[in-house]
């Protein structure tokens, strides 16, 4: 990749103007999936996410530090680490940080990172315990919450099937609270999943409102794939047919169903029961 003189990797650059080309580039990454897809980059706000990304070894392109960050030891250490890895460090004012993230009270650090996703062929069933598969998840908050919950219970990773919301959208990344940097994400089509499933050595447990088993009555023998349906349409017939079991979480009130992220959390606490000790 070619860099313009003032965009040399591993350098420090001061920016005060909203119309600076790098500021425009970062704003584009925040605003449009098209820009994230084309560049393979994404934006994550906050010092915690910067330290998570750096610790987990993700590629970092830019780290923008506001005035507060330039007085903060941890932020300066993160900047030194990012710089050593070739990132361009941007010293910006609060107004520029706010413009980038479209927030009145922006975080003191904003990073631009390289996206990382895997293919189904990268999954090793021998080292897997619990994969979470999501059929066409649409809501960024749901996806971010599921990635965070999966990380909290020590799941192996998340498989995104067919057309899903962007795991690298700012809202999703925000909701993961840094777990995005610790959870492998696989992307595939439903047909690819159906093919992959044929050689999967463990159960594939789907959650379905027409499930015929109580979710507490199933043996989640490892490696297991937990399959969750779309927020509106539920699990597609094609994916439901690949499941070894279709389970339901019993309900007692008037609600038709539970929120996807909440249902995933309930399931994960059952599937991962033996790992979750105080
Ligand atoms: N109208 C959809 C349907 O008919 O399936 C509702 C989908 S629900 C909001 C989204 C997903 O959360 C479902 O596909 C399923 O994976 C999971 N889910 C929610 N409540 C559930 C329950 N009580 N039992 C099993 N799965 C549930």
């Amino acid at each position: 990749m070619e860099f313009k003189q003032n965009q040399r990797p591993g350098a420090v650059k001061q920016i005060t103007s909203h119309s600076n080309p790098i500021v425009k580039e970062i704003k584009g990454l925040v605003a449009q999936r098209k820009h994230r897809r084309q560049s393979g980059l994404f934006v994550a706000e906050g010092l915690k996410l910067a330290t998570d990304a750096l610790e987990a070894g993700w590629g970092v392109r830019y780290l923008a530090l506001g005035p507060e960050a330039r007085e903060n030891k941890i932020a300066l250490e993160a900047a030194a680490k990012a710089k050593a890895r070739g990132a361009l460090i941007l010293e910006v004012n609060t107004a520029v940080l706010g413009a980038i993230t479209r927030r009145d009270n922006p975080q003191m650090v904003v990073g631009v990172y390289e996206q990382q996703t895997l293919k189904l062929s990268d999954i090793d069933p021998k080292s897997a315990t619990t994969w979470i598969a999501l059929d066409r998840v649409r809501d960024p908050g749901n996806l971010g919450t599921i990635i965070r919950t999966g990380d909290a219970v020590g799941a192996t990773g998340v498989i995104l099937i067919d057309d899903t919301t962007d795991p690298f959208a700012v809202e999703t990344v925000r909701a993961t609270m840094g777990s995005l940097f610790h959870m492998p994400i696989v992307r595939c089509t439903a047909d690819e999943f159906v093919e992959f499933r044929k050689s999967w050595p463990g159960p594939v447990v789907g959650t379905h409102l027409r499930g015929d088993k109580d979710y507490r009555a199933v043996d989640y023998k490892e490696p297991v794939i937990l399959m969750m349906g779309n927020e509106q349409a539920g699990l597609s017939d094609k994916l439901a047919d690949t499941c070894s079991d279709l389970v339901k979480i019993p309900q007692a009130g008037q609600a038709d169903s539970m929120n996807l992220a909440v249902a995933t959390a309930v399931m994960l606490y059952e599937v991962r029961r033996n790992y979750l000790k105080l």
Side-chain angles (χ1 to χ4, degrees), residues 112-134:
V112 175
Y113 306 94
E114 290 163 15
Q115 298 181 16
Q116 286 182 29
T117 53
L118 301 173
K119 298 197 207 69
L120 283 171
S121 54
D122 296 316
I123 293 182
D124 176 11
K126 289 195 200 75
S127 58
T129 59
T130 309
W131 277 90
I132 306 161
L134 302 176

Side-chain angles (χ1 to χ4, degrees), residues 49-258:
L49 271 68
T51 51
D52 277 335
L54 290 161
E55 266 167 30
W58 284 54
V60 48
R61 182 67 57 86
Y62 303 123
L63 204 64
L65 307 186
E68 221 184 303
R70 302 201 289 276
E71 307 281 319
N72 179 302
K73 189 168 166 277
I74 299 170
L76 291 172
E77 280 169 9
K81 221 182 215 181
K83 191 162 174 258
R85 286 214 202 138
L88 177 62
I89 308 303
L90 310 174
E91 294 186 351
V92 298
N93 56 35
T94 309
V96 168
L97 273 183
I100 288 173
T101 54
R102 299 187 292 190
R103 281 185 172 238
D104 291 338
N105 291 310
Q107 302 259 3
M108 61 168 143
V109 173
V110 172
V112 175
Y113 306 94
E114 290 163 15
Q115 298 181 16
Q116 286 182 29
T117 53
L118 301 173
K119 298 197 207 69
L120 283 171
S121 54
D122 296 316
I123 293 182
D124 176 11
K126 289 195 200 75
S127 58
T129 59
T130 309
W131 277 90
I132 306 161
L134 302 176
D135 175 17
R136 298 162 295 158
V137 55
R138 282 289 142 82
D139 183 83
N142 277 344
L143 177 55
T145 305
I146 291 169
I147 292 172
R148 182 179 178 185
T149 310
D151 183 22
V153 300
T156 315
V158 175
I159 303 171
L160 300 179
I161 304 178
D162 271 347
D163 192 16
T164 68
T165 191
D166 184 2
F168 300 107
V170 166
E171 301 78 16
T172 316
V173 175
R174 209 178 268 157
T176 73
M177 293 290 287
S179 291
L180 176 75
F181 296 114
H182 305 296
M183 285 290 279
I185 306 277
V186 169
R187 278 173 148 156
C188 65
T189 64
D191 288 339
E192 286 166 348
F193 185 86
V194 170
E195 201 48 42
F196 166 83
R197 192 270 175 272
K198 289 178 187 160
S199 58
W200 181 255
V204 177
V205 180
T207 52
H208 206 295
L209 299 187
R210 294 196 305 277
D212 56 357
K213 285 185 189 150
D214 184 310
Y215 78 109
R216 294 162 293 192
V218 168
D219 182 6
Y220 298 99
K221 197 168 166 297
E222 293 172 356
V224 58
I225 297 177
L226 169 64
M227 173 93 74
M228 306 298 300
N230 166 271
E231 290 94 335
Q232 278 80 41
L235 202 53
S236 72
D237 290 345
K238 184 188 271 182
L239 290 174
D241 286 348
T242 68
C243 293
S244 42
D245 305 271
L246 285 180
V247 301
K248 183 166 181 180
I249 304 166
Q251 300 181 189
Q254 302 303 309
D256 292 340
S257 64
M258 296 163 75

Side-chain angles (χ1 to χ4, degrees), residues 22-84:
I22 300 177
V23 171
K24 284 190 179 163
E25 181 189 344
I26 302 177
K27 281 165 81 173
L29 292 172
V30 170
Q32 289 197 41
R33 186 173 192 168
K34 182 181 77 178
H35 289 303
R36 293 192 292 275
R37 196 180 286 134
Q38 282 165 355
S39 63
L41 299 173
F42 69 104
V43 174
E45 306 153 286
L47 180 54
K48 181 191 178 296
L49 271 68
T51 51
D52 277 335
L54 290 161
E55 266 167 30
W58 284 54
V60 48
R61 182 67 57 86
Y62 303 123
L63 204 64
L65 307 186
E68 221 184 303
R70 302 201 289 276
E71 307 281 319
N72 179 302
K73 189 168 166 277
I74 299 170
L76 291 172
E77 280 169 9
K81 221 182 215 181
K83 191 162 174 258

